[in-house]
Amino acid sequence: MDIRQLERFVEVASLGSVNRAADALSVSQPSLSRSLQMLEDSLGAPLFTRGARGVELTPHGIELLPRARLILAERDRAVEAVRAGAGQGRETLHIGTDAAFAMQRLPRALAALARSHPQVQVQVREGPLGALLDALREGAVRLVFGARGPYVDLEGLAFETLAMESAGVIMRADHPLAARAQVRLSDLIAQRWIVPDHPALVAGWREMFARAELTEPPIALRTSSLHVVKGCLLEGPFVSLGDRSSFATEIASGQLVSLDLGLARYERPTGLFTRPEGRLSAAENALVAALREA
């Protein structure tokens, strides 16, 4: 098994077609088929099932794919690191982040990194945490910043807590309930709830009502976009459960308020996900240090 065989395997797996992969790689279809056969022979297991509509991964292929992607990503990173050290290029940090980190903590840390490592380039991927952790396992990103909920799969990963998020009830400052001297959870049953589309947050929201022995209200909107949550809260009679830091600008400007209902707070750790065996570069360590101080 060699690197070229792995490259060709990943391309075929990604495109689901030997012919399309051959075109993308600028190689002949017979040459690509021979490389795949040699790889399967060296491993002693079939990697694809072939049919009229293309190819599909076997269980062995599914097992190999994320590891192959990781090997290729680490190869590319090693080449980049050596070239950057020799003055022949720049190091690029590939990181993933959830929306809360992207809007609050991460910009401050990136600003600090720009001052301490001006030659370093950064590529940021924002998205659902599950997809980001898969990208971390495969080497597409090196660091992931986000909240660790009870349903997050940490297999093969390490997590470092940087802060604790405490949820409050977020609403417009001119919402009728915001003017009350006291608001109970029972007052919120008839409201139009926005719930972030994440299993841990949905579970925490439901648990809040269950602990109070209240029937949970229907969810008016589920979304994984913090921008959509903010936009709806600013424009309409919605309420949502969220971390105050995610809405800090709008709260400071008087547009939104965060109500502490005196309940047992729904808390979750937020911080850094890494692969334990991955060795961080000086720039990556500088970014992590800046986040620890943020």
Side-chain angles (χ1 to χ4, degrees):
M1 180 175 63
D2 60 30
I3 288 292
R4 186 176 67 173
Q5 290 172 350
L6 288 180
E7 288 175 331
R8 294 182 173 187
F9 161 73
V10 168
E11 193 70 21
V12 173
S14 299
L15 296 177
S17 166
V18 174
N19 289 335
R20 289 199 297 271
D23 291 340
L25 293 167
S26 299
V27 299
S28 68
Q29 188 271 336
S31 174
L32 180 54
S33 295
R34 283 196 298 272
S35 290
L36 295 178
Q37 186 61 56
M38 291 173 64
L39 179 59
E40 289 178 325
D41 291 344
S42 68
L43 295 173
L47 301 175
F48 295 101
T49 57
R50 296 159 176 83
R53 296 186 177 182
V55 296
E56 294 184 359
L57 289 170
T58 65
H60 304 295
I62 293 172
E63 185 74 19
L64 177 62
L65 183 58
R67 291 170 169 80
R69 285 175 170 159
L70 178 59
I71 290 170
L72 296 177
E74 288 297 307
R75 183 274 313 268
D76 294 342
R77 182 173 179 270
V79 171
E80 180 185 81
V82 171
R83 288 177 176 170
Q88 302 300 313
R90 292 186 175 188
E91 180 182 3
T92 300
L93 306 191
H94 298 269
I95 64 178
T97 180
D98 68 9
F101 251 99
M103 298 185 70
Q104 296 295 328
R105 298 176 181 87
L106 187 58
R108 294 193 294 269
L110 290 176
L113 181 70
R115 292 189 290 269
S116 63
H117 293 72
Q119 300 304 313
V120 170
Q121 298 175 326
V122 182
Q123 291 187 6
V124 180
R125 178 187 300 189
E126 182 181 345
L129 185 62
L132 294 176
L133 296 185
D134 286 342
L136 177 61
R137 292 184 178 94
E138 295 178 358
V141 297
R142 292 275 301 164
L143 306 168
V144 170
F145 305 104
R148 177 186 173 182
Y151 301 103
V152 172
D153 180 11
L154 281 181
E155 182 180 1
L157 302 176
F159 177 78
E160 176 188 348
T161 298
L162 298 177
M164 293 296 296
E165 291 186 349
S166 298
V169 178
I170 313 295
M171 63 181 65
R172 277 171 58 116
D174 61 358
H175 192 289
L177 290 179
R180 290 192 184 181
Q182 182 179 10
V183 177
R184 299 182 299 271
L185 186 59
S186 58
D187 297 325
L188 297 167
I189 292 178
Q191 301 302 312
R192 295 185 60 79
W193 276 92
I194 303 173
V195 180
D197 194 18
H198 187 287
L201 298 182
V202 173
W205 177 81
R206 287 175 172 158
E207 183 182 357
M208 182 174 65
F209 288 96
R211 286 185 176 181
E213 298 183 346
L214 295 172
T215 301
E216 68 184 59
I219 297 175
L221 173 65
R222 285 180 64 161
T223 176
S224 60
S225 170
L226 184 58
H227 294 286
V228 172
V229 174
K230 284 189 175 185
C232 290
L233 287 171
L234 291 169
E235 294 294 335
F238 296 96
V239 299
S240 186
L241 186 68
D243 173 50
R244 182 183 176 91
S245 67
S246 299
F247 303 89
T249 300
E250 292 77 16
I251 292 173
S253 66
Q255 296 173 285
L256 298 177
V257 295
S258 176
L259 303 182
D260 183 351
L261 302 182
L263 302 170
R265 293 194 171 194
Y266 167 57
E267 292 188 331
R268 56 180 182 160
T270 185
L272 168 65
F273 298 86
T274 58
R275 288 187 297 107
E277 69 276 12
R279 179 177 177 270
L280 299 185
S281 69
E284 288 168 338
N285 277 314
L287 177 60
V288 173
L291 278 164
R292 292 189 182 117
E293 297 175 0

